[in-house]
Amino acid sequence: MQLTDDDFTLFAVPPTFGQDRGALDARWKELQREAHPDRFAAQGPAAQRLAMQWSVRINEAYQRLKDPLSRAAYLCEMNGAPVQAENNTAMPADFLMQQMSWREELEEAGNASALDALQQQVQSARARALSSLDWLIDEKGDYPAAAQQVRALMFIERFSTELDERLDRLGQ
């Protein structure tokens, strides 16, 4: 293993969207045990610094691999289709219409029941988007389309966070 290895190589898992969370968790613990700086205390400060670099690298890879959105974006970038969410916000018209509809529903929702119904719609859309990413990446290998789906999922996640915040405020 090298610090420059991609996350999948580091974790010894296939470079696919579909991952076994339990296997990732187990591998993370194993790698952290191997790289823990305390194991290198007798070898001096240089060895401990290197162990710390490994520990940081392992944690970064784990955070990226365990999160489906981050993992999909990473796979897209690895395969020549970076998401570029900060400067590419183009979305299909039907997706934009759905977003506008959700925003209107959020503004008009006056009780927890209406917000819960909206939350179910959003969670359903999130599940469909994740399923689509699995298909686009692991089945079709269509990384440009997957990058667009990642951007859509980022919108869904952001809206879901706003919805959760609204539910929290309503519950207070």
Side-chain angles (χ1 to χ4, degrees):
M1 282 190 317
Q2 297 182 19
L3 282 170
T4 56
D5 284 345
D6 67 75
D7 297 351
F8 298 98
T9 301
L10 181 62
F11 271 69
V13 296
T16 59
F17 179 73
Q19 293 291 327
D20 177 349
R21 177 64 188 266
L24 290 174
D25 292 349
R27 181 69 174 144
W28 174 74
K29 288 176 185 174
E30 177 185 329
L31 288 169
Q32 282 297 354
R33 271 194 305 276
E34 291 174 13
H36 199 280
D38 289 349
R39 292 190 62 209
F40 299 90
Q43 295 177 20
Q48 283 186 301
R49 271 194 306 278
L50 183 58
M52 183 60 74
Q53 286 177 324
W54 269 106
S55 186
V56 168
R57 174 69 182 94
I58 292 163
N59 282 332
E60 287 173 347
Y62 177 65
Q63 293 303 316
R64 200 167 16 246
L65 291 178
K66 75 175 186 172
D67 176 57
L69 185 58
S70 297
R71 182 172 59 246
Y74 184 64
L75 280 162
C76 288
E77 187 167 324
M78 284 179 62
N79 287 281
V83 173
Q84 299 175 326
E86 57 281 343
N87 55 6
N88 183 353
T89 57
M91 288 285 138
D94 60 333
F95 180 78
L96 294 174
M97 294 301 291
Q98 180 64 67
Q99 290 290 307
M100 288 173 37
S101 173
W102 284 348
R103 294 225 171 264
E104 288 174 9
E105 285 184 54
L106 181 61
E107 291 300 318
E108 294 170 4
N111 58 43
S113 175
L115 291 172
D116 287 338
L118 180 56
Q119 188 173 45
Q120 287 179 357
Q121 289 179 43
V122 172
Q123 290 307 316
S124 179
R126 180 182 187 276
R128 285 191 307 275
L130 288 170
S131 178
S132 177
L133 280 172
D134 188 28
W135 179 71
L136 288 167
I137 293 172
D138 291 349
E139 299 297 322
K140 285 188 71 181
D142 187 347
Y143 294 97
Q148 182 174 345
Q149 188 66 33
V150 167
R151 287 190 299 274
L153 187 56
M154 292 169 83
F155 276 99
I156 293 169
E157 294 286 341
R158 193 169 24 252
F159 183 78
S160 182
T161 299
E162 291 175 32
L163 182 54
D164 288 343
E165 290 169 356
R166 177 83 182 272
L167 274 164
D168 287 346
R169 283 194 308 270
L170 193 62
Q172 291 179 353

